[in-house]
Amino acid sequence: MMDFVATHLTWFLSLHIMAFTAWMAGTFYLPRLYVYHTQTTPGTAESERFKIMERKLLRQIMTPAMIVTVLAGGLMASVPGLVDWNSAWWWIKLLCVVGLMGFHGACSKWRKLFLEDKNNHSEKFYRISNEVPTILMIIIVIMIVVRP
């Protein structure tokens, strides 16, 4: 299997980049939807519309994109010699990816609160949380491209 991955590395890298881009787009947009959702009255047609948008974004785009990102990245990382396991950049990047997965989980939890009309966070909370994936993405890209 590793020979197949190594031989087709550019294809796996392309898949990884496309999935990461889709995951990040959703991760940027979902907290923004929560900002707007906090401005609605629970039970209204507008609130119900946000619930549908949030569910579809999380389940049909973000989660599959996250899974493909992690699988493709894991397969590439398993190719001998591709990753210097003694370099700090790799571990920092991996830590940020785990943080991004944790943020994804938090977004899922917040969606369930909205679904049950039990949101307990403010609009400001979601505006601030919207910056978390941006910071993580910046660190991930720098670690992968610059490898300081």
Side-chain angles (χ1 to χ4, degrees):
M1 178 67 172
M2 287 310 101
D3 287 338
F4 178 80
V5 175
T7 303
H8 297 89
L9 192 60
T10 54
W11 286 102
F12 281 96
L13 180 58
S14 297
L15 180 64
H16 181 69
I17 291 168
M18 289 183 284
F20 181 72
T21 301
W23 184 24
M24 290 308 303
T27 306
F28 293 146
Y29 189 52
L30 189 58
R32 179 58 48 189
L33 285 176
Y34 294 156
V35 167
Y36 299 135
H37 199 158
T38 61
Q39 299 168 356
T40 67
T41 303
T44 62
E46 188 178 21
S47 177
E48 296 305 309
R49 186 171 35 253
F50 276 111
K51 290 176 186 179
I52 292 168
M53 292 167 63
E54 292 157 1
R55 183 190 79 240
K56 286 183 176 184
L57 180 60
L58 187 66
R59 289 192 173 180
Q60 294 176 4
I61 298 172
M62 289 173 62
T63 299
M66 177 187 68
I67 291 167
V68 172
T69 299
V70 171
L71 288 176
L75 283 170
M76 288 188 302
S78 67
V79 172
L82 192 63
V83 174
D84 180 1
W85 297 96
N86 296 315
S87 296
W89 70 265
W90 167 253
W91 297 105
I92 294 168
K93 182 229 180 210
L94 191 59
L95 181 65
C96 289
V97 170
V98 169
L100 196 55
M101 292 171 69
F103 185 79
H104 184 105
C107 284
S108 181
K109 180 181 174 187
W110 299 332
R111 188 192 73 80
K112 289 177 186 174
L113 291 173
F114 276 112
L115 186 63
E116 299 168 355
D117 294 325
K118 295 180 180 177
N119 172 50
N120 55 357
H121 297 295
S122 68
E123 178 182 329
K124 184 176 181 178
F125 172 83
Y126 293 115
R127 286 186 188 278
I128 292 169
S129 69
N130 199 29
E131 303 307 320
V132 171
T134 303
I135 293 166
L136 291 172
M137 182 206 60
I138 289 168
I139 296 169
I140 289 168
V141 170
I142 289 172
M143 291 303 115
I144 264 306
V145 175
V146 179
R147 297 182 182 193

